[in-house]
Amino acid sequence: MTDVHMAHGTTGTIDTATTEQAVDLAGALRAVRDNNPLVQCLTNIVVANFTANVLLSAGASPAMVDNSHEAADFAAIAGGVLINTGTPYPETAKAMLLAAESAATHHNPWVLDPVAAGLPWRTDVARNALAAGDPAIIRGNASEIIALAGSSSGGRGTDSTDPVTAALATAKQLARTYHCAVAISGPVDHITDGERVLTVSNGHEWMTRVTGVGCSLGALMAAFAAVVPNPVDAATAATALLCVAADHAAAESRAPGSFATALVDQLYLVSPEQLAAEADVRSLAA
């Protein structure tokens, strides 16, 4: 539900690092498809079906287990866990806390997507999950990342009102505090662990016209984190896959409706070699 890409282009000072030097994208995608990681999704009701299809097409196995009776047990066996605060309810908020605790206890990577952070109750839900155990990855738009850190009251619902670059310092601090990667979605995605910063510049504006694209990115990150040890690499590879698939999908679509279907197809069709060759992944100069 959060915004992903609005346009092509890059921001900031970028060195000449190649995609292969930045992240082994081909190897990461092969690892997902070879291992079929089980991804537990505690996500919002608007995007659950689309998210499950995105995971299946990419090569992962979705499990939409978000009740408090099973959340902890499932997080103990899942390869990766997504906690998404898009439509929280008291029951799912309890399940999110239990899942985060269990994932952390069993050393299973989990991803926090603090949708519409800035609204008081859901922000508390996200922060309570963070207090239960460090995530592998936090992802959101710039306003959500800033609000999660307590620096603002958030954006306009699920829409960001801040540029990506405005959230980069906050993202670095969150990454250092929680020993994780933080991914900021926007016209150019930025991913950091507090020191290293990578950017992904692929994507198409129709990604913002289909409900669930941003939220399903969090699920993809959980899938990649299950098989890629470095969280920055996992978040970057997941972002690159979704955005390269979006480039392909837009080329064969007329409008957002056909694009949504084509995007799911392309997540299945993009090869590891295509991903490595086409992804515009670069390292920001220190």
Side-chain angles (χ1 to χ4, degrees), residues 91-237:
E91 166 71 9
T92 52
K94 180 180 178 181
M96 288 173 183
L97 177 59
L98 293 170
E101 288 177 338
S102 180
T105 297
H106 292 89
H107 306 290
N108 294 331
W110 69 278
V111 175
L112 175 65
D113 189 341
V115 177
L119 294 171
W121 181 62
R122 74 177 62 212
T123 304
D124 286 343
V125 170
R127 290 175 182 163
N128 288 340
L130 288 174
D134 291 348
I137 301 165
I138 300 170
R139 76 144 303 271
N141 64 38
S143 293
E144 290 165 343
I145 296 301
I146 295 170
L148 183 65
S151 302
S152 79
S153 58
R156 190 186 64 175
T158 61
D159 296 331
S160 182
T161 54
D162 297 284
V164 171
T165 50
L168 188 55
T170 301
K172 288 181 177 180
Q173 185 56 53
L174 283 171
R176 289 190 287 264
T177 298
Y178 295 106
H179 310 99
C180 68
V182 178
I184 317 166
S185 293
V188 176
D189 290 290
H190 286 57
I191 302 103
T192 184
D193 59 3
E195 301 298 332
R196 182 181 178 207
V197 180
L198 298 178
T199 63
V200 181
S201 299
N202 303 85
H204 193 275
E205 85 165 303
W206 286 342
M207 297 173 80
T208 66
R209 301 294 180 130
V210 175
T211 298
V213 173
C215 292
S216 57
L217 176 55
L220 279 177
M221 288 183 181
F224 277 83
V227 297
V228 176
N230 186 296
V232 170
D233 291 356
T236 302

